Every structure is written in structure tokens, then in C-alpha cells.
Amino acid sequence: MVGLHEGIGTLVVIAFLALTVVYILQLRGKRIEWSRQLSMAAGGLLLLQYALGFILIGGDNDVSPFHFLFALGTIATVGLEHAMGRGEGGGSPNLRMAAAGAAGTTALALIAYAIGQSTA
């Protein structure tokens, strides 16, 4: 189960990194029709990751509390990204906030991933 959690964690980081790049491209005026689907897929992977993490908490796995704090911190940044990422035009303030949310999620997930890898 730990290996699956690590694998999904990798996919979460990659998905939110890709989403951040997509938002940056949209801010530069590129029209990307599938950004909302990528956002939902990335969020779904994160939800699956949470479920696996909570299952692992019940086991005898020893992980730093900081792993949990950074991982759960993504709830706020994903919420920001989902609330603001409505696929509006290049200069939209909402699109800038969505990009910031996606970048924040990428950073928090990457930190949580690194902590989890260092204690595994």
C-alpha cells in the first residue's frame, strides 16, 4: 500500500505541475480547452492520495507530522485553484489566482512528497 501511495504521490506532483504550466500558458493568451478536465483529474488524484494516506495512518507506518501538514495544506490551494480556474481570458485576475493556487499545490505536494520519501 505504501508503494501505491508513493506512486500516486508522483502522479499528483506531475499533474499539478502540468496544470501550473497550463495556467501560465493561458495567462500568456494561449487557449487550452482541456484545462478544467486536467484540474479535475489532478484533484481526483489528490483525493485518492488522501484516502490512501488515511488508510496508511491506521497502520504502523512512521512518517513525520510535517508530511501530513504539508499534504493537508494543499486543501486550501486546491480550493483556490478550483474556485478561480474557470477558463477565462489571458489577463483575468481569476486566472492569475488559479495559477497561484496550482503552483502552491505543486509546491506543497512536492514538499510532502520529499518528506514522505525521506522517512520511508
Side-chain angles (χ1 to χ4, degrees), residues 1-114:
M1 182 79 71
V2 172
L4 180 60
H5 187 64
E6 290 174 3
I8 299 295
T10 302
L11 294 176
V12 166
V13 171
I14 291 169
F16 278 101
L17 180 60
L19 185 59
T20 301
V21 170
V22 164
Y23 279 129
I24 290 169
L25 290 173
Q26 286 180 322
L27 282 169
R28 294 176 161 256
K30 178 126 174 95
R31 189 150 173 83
I32 300 174
E33 300 293 331
W34 44 267
S35 63
R36 193 70 178 159
Q37 288 83 0
L38 178 58
S39 173
M40 292 299 136
L45 283 170
L46 187 59
L47 184 61
L48 176 60
Q49 185 69 342
Y50 287 148
L52 292 170
F54 285 124
I55 290 168
L56 289 171
I57 287 173
D60 58 351
N61 298 300
D62 187 29
V63 178
S64 167
F66 290 108
H67 176 74
F68 304 118
L69 290 174
F70 282 104
L72 292 175
T74 62
I75 292 172
T77 55
V78 167
L80 174 67
E81 183 269 321
H82 279 284
M84 297 294 160
R86 300 280 182 219
E88 293 159 357
S92 166
N94 286 351
L95 193 56
R96 280 188 229 115
M97 292 301 293
T105 303
T106 302
L108 290 172
L110 186 58
I111 292 167
Y113 182 83

